[in-house]
Amino acid sequence: MKKKSIYFLFLNFGLSSCLAFFLASCASTGEKESVNQAPKPAPTQTPEKKASSAGESKSNSRPLNPASVSSGLPESVNKNTEPEAQEVGSPAEEVYALYQEAQNALEKGDLDEALNLLDEAYAALLKIQASPESPLYQEKHDLRILIVQKIQQVYAFRLPPPGNNHKTIPLTENSWVLAEIKSFQTVERKFFEEAYRRSGLYRGMIAEQMKKMGLPEELSWLPLIESGFYPRALSRARALGLWQFIASTGYRYGLKRDKFIDERMDPLKSTQAAIKYLTELHDFFGDWTTAIAAYNCGEIRVQNEIRAQRIDYLDNFWDLFANLPYETARYVPRFIATLLIIENPEKYGFNLPAPDPAITYETVKLSKPTKLSVLSSKLGLSSEILISLNPELRHDSTPNYEYELRVPAGYGDKVLACLNELPNWIPPDVVFGWHIVKKGDTLGLIAHRYHTSVQAIVRLNNLRSATLIYPGQKLKIPGQNQGLLAANDEGNPPTASSSGSQSNQNKVITYVVKAGDTLFQIAKNYGVSIEKIKKDNQLSNDILAIGQKLIIKLD
C-alpha cells in the first residue's frame, strides 16, 4: 500500500467507501477470515452511530485544536492493558506503537505526519494473521476500526479550505437567493412574519445552545424555514418538530419516542440533537452551506453529487447546488434569504413584528399519568399553556413513568399540592375496525382501500407474513374508515351472526365516493359486480361524483 493511499481514499470516496476498501484489502492479502462469521462490533461505537462515525468527538462537539483530541483507545486495544490481557511481544505491538505516534503527531498539529503514521499502522495491521477463533482476531478488528476513526478525525481538521467559509455562513445575494426573498415578500409574507414573531419563544434558547457548542449563531434561524418555529410541525415526509427530524434520524441522535412522548417535539432536546447532526455534517463537508444542504436531503445524497462534480466544490458551493434535488436546491437560498431579511428588514420592505417573549418555566417531577387539561383546571390555567410548554406529550398527558413536567414559573408547589387529587389517565388504545378477507384480497389492496399501510396491518395483527392471508380471516384495520366492520364491546370481531360469509346476507353499506374512485375498484373491493351496484343505485352510466353516496348490498 503506497503512502497516503488511505488519505487519498478519504478525499475521493469518503469514509464508508474507504472502510469497504480496507476490508477488501484484508481479503486480498490472504487473511484467513471465515466468510460466515461476521466481525463483532467495535466497542467504541453506539447503536445511534453509523459504521462511519468518528466516535464521540463528532457527535458531541468538534474539537477546535488537534491537541484537545484524546487517544480514544478502547479497553481491548489500550497500550496500558493488564499483562494477562495482552501478551508481551504481540504482533499488534507495532500497530499500537505507530497508532500512539500518530496520536502524538496529531496533538502537535502535524497532520501530514499523523496520516503517514496511520497509513503505516494499517499496513502493519494487514500483515497480522489471525484465525476467527484466536483472541487476536477481535483485537485486530478493533484496531482496524480505531485507525479508520482516527483518520476521520485528522480528515475533519484538514477539510476546511483556506479562508473563513468553514466558520461563517456566506450571505451570497445571487439570483436564487433573490427569488426566495421575493417569495417571502409576496406569497409567503404572512408565513414569514408569523414565524419571525413565534421565533421569540425558542430562538434565545437555541442561540445559547449554538454558542455553547461553538456553532454560528445564524444557524438558530434554521427552524424558521424548517417548521416556522412550530414545535409540532409535521411534514409530508413525516418529519416532526422544530428541526423536522424523521423518526430514524431522531433515534440516531438520542431522541426518545414511545406511546406517551416524542422528543422530536421537545424544543430543547431536539435542538441539542440538531446541533450534534449539524456539527457532524460540518466536520464531514467542511463548510456550512454544504452542511446545511445535507441537513435537508441527507449526507449521502450530497456526497454522491460531490463525487460527480470533479471540481473543488468547497470553493464554490453554487456549482454543487444546481445538481441537488429541487427542494434542497431551494433550501440553502431560502436560509440565506431569511438571514438577509432579518439582518436588514427595511431594505427588503419588511416591518417585522416584535418577537413573542421567551418561554419561562420551572419543572416538576411527576410519576403518574395525568391529563394536562385536568391539571390546568385545578391550577386555574388555560390548558393551552401547559400544552405549549410540553409539546412532546403525544396525548397532552404525562406518561406512566417519571417525567419532568414544565409548568409556568411559580406554579411548581401548586402542582405538587393538587397532585393526589388528580385521577390517573389511561391512554387510548389503537382505534381499529375489522375487515373479513374475501377471495382475491391482498394486504396491498386492503391497505389501499382503507388508506393505511401494509406494515400497519401486519403489526396490528401480529402477522408473520405480509403475503399469507386467507378468505374468511378477520383482520384489524387501524382507524375508523368507511366500510370497516365495528368491533363488539370487548373489541373482538363481529360474530358469525353479524359478519363474515353469513353476515353478508342482506348487509347494506353506504359508501361515499372519494377522489380517484371507479365503479370497477369499488365493486372489486366489496366483492360485488359493477352491474349490481349500478342497478341498486339506479345508475345509467359509470360516471361517479366525489361525495356521491352509493348503496352496496352484499349478497
Side-chain angles (χ1 to χ4, degrees):
M1 184 179 289
K2 296 181 180 179
K3 293 290 184 183
K4 297 191 179 179
S5 59
I6 296 176
Y7 182 55
F8 175 81
L9 285 169
F10 263 100
L11 291 178
N12 289 276
F13 302 106
L15 181 58
S16 298
S17 298
C18 182
L19 182 55
F21 175 83
F22 292 160
L23 299 177
S25 298
C26 291
S28 66
T29 56
E31 189 173 358
K32 308 297 183 182
E33 295 182 354
S34 170
V35 296
N36 295 320
Q37 179 165 342
K40 298 177 183 178
T44 54
Q45 290 188 308
T46 61
E48 291 80 16
K49 296 182 177 63
K50 300 180 293 184
S52 59
S53 171
E56 293 299 323
S57 65
K58 254 195 166 192
S59 61
N60 294 331
S61 63
R62 182 169 67 92
L64 300 178
N65 190 311
S68 67
V69 183
S70 64
S71 67
L73 283 168
E75 274 188 34
S76 61
V77 293
N78 198 302
K79 281 279 285 183
N80 297 321
T81 49
E82 295 297 324
E84 58 265 28
Q86 177 183 313
E87 296 180 7
V88 178
S90 163
E93 277 295 318
E94 181 184 358
V95 180
Y96 292 139
L98 290 168
Y99 179 90
Q100 192 59 54
E101 288 182 42
Q103 175 61 31
N104 294 337
L106 180 59
E107 291 175 357
K108 294 176 183 177
D110 192 344
L111 305 184
D112 286 330
E113 180 63 14
L115 285 170
N116 286 336
L117 290 165
L118 289 169
D119 195 60
E120 289 181 25
Y122 196 83
L125 185 69
L126 293 180
K127 297 176 183 178
I128 299 175
Q129 300 296 320
S131 66
E133 296 77 20
S134 168
L136 188 60
Y137 180 87
Q138 181 62 44
E139 187 176 19
K140 181 180 178 182
H141 176 77
D142 291 343
L143 273 170
R144 180 188 297 122
I145 298 300
L146 191 65
I147 292 171
V148 171
Q149 290 177 338
K150 188 60 65 178
I151 289 173
Q152 192 181 21
Q153 286 185 340
V154 179
Y155 175 67
F157 290 124
R158 295 195 58 150
L159 190 56
N164 63 356
N165 73 323
H166 63 291
K167 298 178 181 177
T168 61
I169 301 168
L171 300 185
T172 306
E173 196 172 7
N174 55 30
S175 59
W176 295 295
V177 173
L178 291 174
E180 297 303 327
I181 289 175
K182 184 176 181 180
S183 179
F184 286 141
Q185 290 171 327
T186 54
V187 294
E188 295 185 277
R189 191 182 191 97
K190 184 178 179 180
F191 159 78
F192 189 92
E193 291 177 345
E194 288 183 354
Y196 179 83
R197 174 181 53 77
R198 200 159 41 241
S199 71
L201 299 171
Y202 309 106
R203 204 190 73 82
M205 173 273 293
I206 296 172
E208 182 182 346
Q209 293 291 320
M210 295 281 180
K211 183 178 179 181
K212 180 180 176 182
M213 301 307 295
L215 273 65
E217 188 177 326
E218 297 98 315
L219 292 173
S220 62
W221 289 106
L222 265 178
L224 190 146
I225 62 171
E226 281 284 355
S227 61
F229 280 101
Y230 183 58
R232 286 186 169 179
L234 178 66
S235 75
R236 290 172 296 176
R238 311 301 294 174
L240 186 62
L242 285 179
W243 294 93
Q244 292 291 280
F245 278 104
I246 60 174
S248 58
T249 308
Y251 174 77
R252 175 180 164 191
Y253 291 97
L255 297 178
K256 181 180 177 180
R257 183 168 175 258
D258 62 21
K259 184 176 183 177
F260 296 94
I261 67 171
D262 191 330
E263 291 181 347
R264 292 179 294 167
M265 296 185 287
D266 184 304
L268 175 60
K269 292 178 181 177
S270 65
T271 294
Q272 292 169 337
I275 288 173
K276 290 179 183 179
Y277 190 22
L278 286 166
T279 300
E280 184 175 301
L281 291 172
H282 180 260
D283 282 349
F284 192 79
F285 292 109
D287 73 314
W288 280 116
T289 45
T290 311
I292 292 168
Y295 185 89
N296 179 258
C297 71
E299 57 267 41
I300 294 176
R301 177 61 187 268
V302 174
Q303 189 179 11
N304 289 340
E305 293 297 340
I306 289 171
R307 291 171 185 166
Q309 290 301 301
R310 304 187 186 284
I311 60 172
D312 188 357
Y313 77 97
L314 288 177
D315 288 340
N316 189 355
F317 165 79
W318 300 100
D319 291 330
L320 166 68
F321 153 84
N323 295 315
L324 293 172
Y326 174 73
E327 183 179 339
T328 303
R330 289 190 63 194
Y331 189 76
V332 173
R334 279 174 72 79
F335 180 58
I336 293 175
T338 297
L339 296 181
L340 288 171
I341 292 171
I342 290 171
E343 187 179 83
N344 192 351
E346 294 81 10
K347 176 181 176 180
Y348 300 101
F350 280 87
N351 182 18
L352 295 175
D356 290 337
I359 289 178
T360 57
Y361 59 86
E362 59 182 284
T363 60
V364 180
K365 285 187 178 180
L366 302 183
S367 56
K368 63 183 292 185
T370 301
K371 195 71 176 171
L372 295 187
S373 58
V374 176
L375 177 58
S376 298
S377 178
K378 289 284 186 181
L379 297 174
L381 296 171
S382 165
S383 60
E384 291 302 317
I385 294 177
L386 290 184
I387 291 172
S388 64
L389 287 173
N390 302 276
E392 71 278 11
L393 294 175
R394 300 179 66 180
H395 300 289
D396 295 334
S397 66
T398 59
N400 61 358
Y401 48 82
E402 189 173 90
Y403 175 79
E404 289 195 355
L405 180 72
R406 300 184 182 101
V407 298
Y411 277 80
D413 291 338
K414 296 179 182 179
V415 172
L416 293 175
C418 70
L419 194 58
N420 291 333
E421 303 174 19
L422 300 174
N424 280 1
W425 177 80
I426 302 174
D429 291 328
V430 177
V431 177
F432 63 87
W434 292 89
H435 171 84
I436 299 175
V437 178
K438 296 182 288 294
K439 186 177 180 179
D441 274 352
T442 65
L443 283 185
L445 287 174
I446 295 171
H448 177 74
R449 173 182 170 183
Y450 297 117
H451 307 287
T452 184
S453 67
V454 171
Q455 292 79 7
I457 298 174
V458 169
R459 285 196 304 270
L460 191 56
N461 292 275
N462 295 318
L463 299 179
R464 294 184 178 181
S465 170
T467 58
L468 297 178
I469 58 174
Y470 53 88
Q473 183 179 6
K474 299 178 179 67
L475 295 176
K476 296 177 184 177
I477 308 297
Q480 292 178 320
N481 295 288
Q482 182 76 26
L484 282 174
L485 300 177
N488 61 24
D489 292 340
E490 290 77 32
N492 295 319
T495 60
S497 61
S498 61
S499 67
S501 58
Q502 297 177 20
S503 70
N504 286 347
Q505 300 294 332
N506 303 320
K507 184 170 178 61
V508 177
I509 292 174
T510 301
Y511 180 82
V512 181
V513 176
K514 300 181 291 298
D517 277 348
T518 64
L519 274 180
F520 173 79
Q521 190 62 50
I522 295 171
K524 185 177 180 181
N525 285 344
Y526 286 97
V528 298
S529 68
I530 295 175
E531 293 304 319
K532 178 169 177 53
I533 295 177
K534 291 173 68 174
K535 179 181 177 181
D536 291 340
N537 291 273
Q538 300 179 357
L539 301 178
S540 58
N541 54 48
D542 294 351
I543 299 174
L544 299 176
I546 297 175
Q548 179 181 356
K549 293 183 179 179
L550 296 177
I551 294 173
I552 311 294
K553 294 182 179 180
L554 304 178
D555 294 333

